[in-house]
Amino acid sequence: MDSFDYVIVGAGTAGCVVANRLSADGKSTVLVLEAGGSDRTVWIQLPIGYGRTFFDRSINWMYDTEAEPNLGGRISYWPRGKVIGGSGSINAMVYVRGQPHDFDQWQAMGNPGWGWDEVLPFFRKSEDHDHGASAYHGAGGPIHVTDITRRAHPLCHEFIKTGQALGFAHTDDFNGPSPEGVGIYQINTDKGLRASSANAFLRPALKRSNVALRTKAQVTRILFEGQQATGVEYRRGGQTVQVKARREVILCGGSINSPQLLQLSGVGEAAHLASLGITPVLNAPAVGRNMQDHLAVSYFYKSRRPTLNDELGPLLGKVKAGIHYLWNRGGPLSMSVNQGGGFVRSDAGQPFPNLQLYFSPVSYTKTPLSERKLMNPDPFSAFLLSFNACKPTSRGSLKIVSADPSAYPSIQPNYLSTEKDIEEAIVGNRLLRTLATTKPLSDIITEELVPGSHLQTDEELLEDFRQRADTVYHPTSTCMMGPDPATSVVDARLRVHGVQGLRVVDASVFPTITSGNINAPTVMVAEKGAAMILEDRASHALI
């Protein structure tokens, strides 16, 4: 049996970071196991190419949820990366840390060391930021953060002016000293290419002789001796292989695969596991519970002014965009279509921003979701406005339905299951309408295409929300961090309660979902998690 000091399950956003940091001393041996294959394809590395990976089963798990009763019985499609780089190889690259109070809340929930002041250094450590080094940003770190303010579509600035007209502040940095307000999103690109953690962290690590990566290797269970995790078993090329972890097994599979693997390995609700023929190793009822996600809806507007539809729709426009990109790695192909947005309070009584806004100078009303491509927008000038609640209070769950590791788990997000989430859906709908009827956007809009001006009452708009709202692809908290093993899965050092030699380091440990996109805080969790693993190794060496 092969053996390594550390076995990392998943070469996704977090796993790439952890592999780099744990192997930096050149001594500790690290094995990274990835169920997917290579990320070296043009549609992953080209920033706007993520539209082509949305339904690509070769690099995407392509999960579906159970029917959601509060969304009209609809099933929600959840793409997740099954490829080197994980979901960070197929996402829209928006770099948002979240609001400082998010992390102070984590600490207040019984997780010492996870307050804003404690996590900020790990955000800075990972960064090579366009703004350079400061109290809020890092320079020279592995992952590049690009400020696209000067290159964003001109309509984004009209959106910002409209937000200001409504009293929202204009911020030039959602990750700086004033993260509240409206502005332009920063993105993870580097010289016109996607700056995933695979490119930034894993590839440099693979140059070290003490790091090994095995792709197309799906881990099927964690190996235990009593309550000690000793390694993993995985399938690769039709063979079943076991590998030993001399120090620790580290799960970095994300909010779906990490709890799934724990349950397959006997760590979960004991009665449920036994009913599937799995021998429980530890009764851990919180595994797979506490799931959170952001739920958003888009309003589409026809525009008097040109949008990205006019640039990316016509064949000549596609050719021009391609030439621009090939010439200097610039233009619309070098960016995400999610360009403008903000974090705002729906009313003065809110203690923190409670709604996230998105402004995309592009629209897709003429094609079904299954055919939507970012290079084939509507054949007319239009754009979209979207929102989601920053801190939804609904909680969902994930359970395996079989002892077969290839069987997809049951995912039940349980959207809109609290009155607070319903109320914020209503006020968010109203805010989009208010933005659209405020200058200068109101002077640019000729027609509300979707949902349409015939819907006016709160009841009508809420019903439309139930029929059209969907995930923003931010699942978190299924292996929640906390002090109580009855309600959480890992402790503040990301060690799985009740067993030894096993940690979870990914977005599944978030105690609550952050206010915004989750890739940046996942990188931070991985940076901090790796640092704690190294600290614990050093302290054990001194004993």
Side-chain angles (χ1 to χ4, degrees):
M1 183 188 300
D2 281 350
S3 64
F4 295 80
D5 291 320
Y6 299 101
V7 175
I8 298 172
V9 181
T13 294
C16 293
V17 177
V18 175
N20 183 298
R21 298 310 191 188
L22 295 188
S23 64
D25 63 0
K27 299 176 183 178
S28 298
T29 56
V30 175
L31 172 65
V32 185
L33 297 170
E34 169 55 45
S38 173
D39 62 336
R40 307 308 273 177
T41 70
V42 63
W43 299 117
I44 288 178
Q45 301 303 325
L46 178 72
I48 207 171
Y50 68 93
R52 291 287 294 270
T53 63
F54 200 66
F55 285 93
D56 187 344
R57 193 168 290 279
S58 68
I59 56 176
N60 191 329
W61 288 101
M62 295 180 62
Y63 291 112
D64 286 319
T65 70
E66 301 297 326
E68 275 292 285
N70 296 319
L71 297 185
R74 292 184 294 122
I75 290 171
S76 181
Y77 171 61
W78 282 21
R80 308 307 299 160
K82 184 183 181 182
V83 64
I84 294 174
S87 296
S89 284
I90 66 171
N91 68 355
M93 298 156 292
V94 175
Y95 182 83
V96 168
R97 294 170 172 173
Q99 298 287 313
H101 73 88
D102 293 336
F103 306 99
D104 290 336
Q105 181 186 19
W106 286 13
Q107 182 159 266
M109 293 172 69
N111 299 294
W114 289 92
W116 172 246
D117 290 341
E118 289 79 17
V119 303
L120 177 58
F122 292 99
F123 279 115
R124 294 180 67 249
K125 180 180 181 180
S126 67
E127 285 185 350
D128 181 30
H129 203 286
D130 266 359
H131 293 176
S134 69
Y136 285 87
H137 290 299
I143 198 161
H144 194 76
V145 181
T146 299
D147 184 343
I148 64 166
T149 301
R150 295 183 180 180
R151 296 186 286 133
H153 193 278
L155 283 187
C156 294
H157 300 285
E158 302 304 308
F159 161 77
I160 292 171
K161 292 175 185 175
T162 302
Q164 290 179 290
L166 292 175
F168 300 134
H170 173 212
T171 179
D172 61 0
D173 183 2
F174 290 122
N175 304 298
S178 302
E180 182 176 351
V182 291
I184 304 297
Y185 288 121
Q186 296 162 5
I187 60 174
N188 283 129
T189 59
D190 189 7
K191 299 181 178 64
L193 295 173
R194 176 183 292 272
S196 66
S197 64
N199 289 334
F201 287 89
L202 184 60
R203 289 208 157 72
L206 290 175
K207 296 177 182 178
R208 302 168 186 154
S209 61
N210 58 323
V211 181
L213 168 67
R214 295 176 189 171
T215 58
K216 304 289 185 180
Q218 183 170 351
V219 177
T220 55
R221 66 186 176 107
I222 304 160
L223 302 176
F224 287 95
E225 292 181 4
Q227 303 301 105
Q228 175 75 40
T230 58
V232 302
E233 182 176 275
Y234 64 93
R235 292 175 183 168
R236 190 186 195 207
Q239 295 184 321
T240 298
V241 182
Q242 292 188 347
V243 62
K244 181 178 181 180
R246 290 188 292 266
R247 292 186 182 274
E248 294 189 36
V249 174
I250 304 164
L251 305 190
C252 299
S255 294
I256 307 301
N257 299 106
S258 286
Q260 178 191 27
L261 182 58
L262 284 172
Q263 291 176 11
L264 288 168
S265 306
V267 180
E269 185 179 9
H272 174 65
L273 301 183
S275 72
L276 299 175
I278 297 172
T279 301
V281 171
L282 177 73
N283 184 30
V287 173
R289 296 184 183 176
N290 301 301
M291 174 184 284
Q292 291 196 273
D293 186 29
H294 287 134
L295 184 68
V297 75
S298 296
Y299 280 38
F300 297 85
Y301 294 95
K302 208 162 187 178
S303 170
R304 301 181 194 277
R305 302 245 302 262
T307 68
L308 277 179
N309 293 9
D310 302 276
E311 294 183 52
L312 298 179
L315 177 59
L316 181 58
K318 291 181 173 67
V319 171
K320 287 182 177 179
I323 292 172
H324 191 176
Y325 184 79
L326 292 173
W327 180 255
N328 64 1
R329 296 279 176 86
L333 304 192
S334 68
M335 297 184 287
S336 170
V337 297
N338 293 325
Q339 297 182 6
F343 296 89
V344 302
R345 307 181 200 213
S346 59
D347 60 78
Q350 298 294 329
F352 304 107
N354 63 317
L355 298 176
Q356 180 175 5
L357 301 175
Y358 308 84
F359 178 88
S360 297
V362 67
S363 71
Y364 305 89
T365 64
K366 300 299 182 182
T367 56
L369 181 62
S370 60
E371 299 176 10
R372 191 172 299 172
K373 306 295 183 186
L374 298 184
M375 291 292 286
N376 291 293
D378 288 326
F380 48 79
S381 303
F383 60 84
L384 66 87
L385 289 168
S386 303
F387 85 93
N388 63 253
C390 288
K391 303 287 285 185
T393 53
S394 298
R395 297 290 190 277
S397 63
L398 175 148
K399 283 187 176 183
I400 58 172
V401 297
S402 168
D404 180 0
S406 65
Y408 279 12
S410 170
I411 302 169
Q412 187 69 67
N414 209 23
Y415 294 124
L416 296 184
S417 58
T418 68
E419 285 301 316
K420 177 179 181 293
D421 290 357
I422 293 172
E423 291 169 5
E424 290 194 324
I426 293 171
V427 298
N429 284 327
R430 284 297 179 195
L431 178 55
L432 295 188
R433 280 277 176 83
T434 301
L435 284 163
T437 54
T438 302
K439 294 178 181 292
L441 275 187
S442 61
D443 291 336
I444 296 168
I445 292 170
T446 64
E447 179 186 356
E448 183 179 280
L449 298 168
V450 179
S453 58
H454 63 287
L455 301 182
Q456 287 294 324
T457 68
D458 286 347
E459 291 76 15
E460 289 172 332
L461 295 178
L462 177 59
E463 180 59 26
D464 173 72
F465 187 92
R466 292 186 188 278
Q467 294 299 323
R468 294 194 304 112
D470 214 339
T471 175
V472 196
Y473 322 115
H474 297 164
T476 70
S477 308
T478 50
C479 295
M480 192 177 86
M481 183 195 333
D484 184 358
T487 57
S488 61
V489 178
V490 300
D491 65 15
R493 298 191 73 79
L494 309 186
R495 298 170 299 201
V496 175
H497 290 300
V499 295
Q500 303 298 314
L502 180 62
R503 298 197 207 217
V504 183
V505 185
D506 57 35
S508 72
V509 306
F510 289 14
T512 61
I513 196 168
T514 51
S515 300
N517 309 68
I518 65 171
N519 190 262
T522 300
V523 171
M524 178 277 293
V525 165
E527 286 276 26
K528 186 171 174 61
M532 290 190 294
I533 293 168
L534 292 173
E535 289 170 359
D536 290 349
R537 184 183 70 186
S539 64
H540 290 156
L542 295 175
I543 295 175

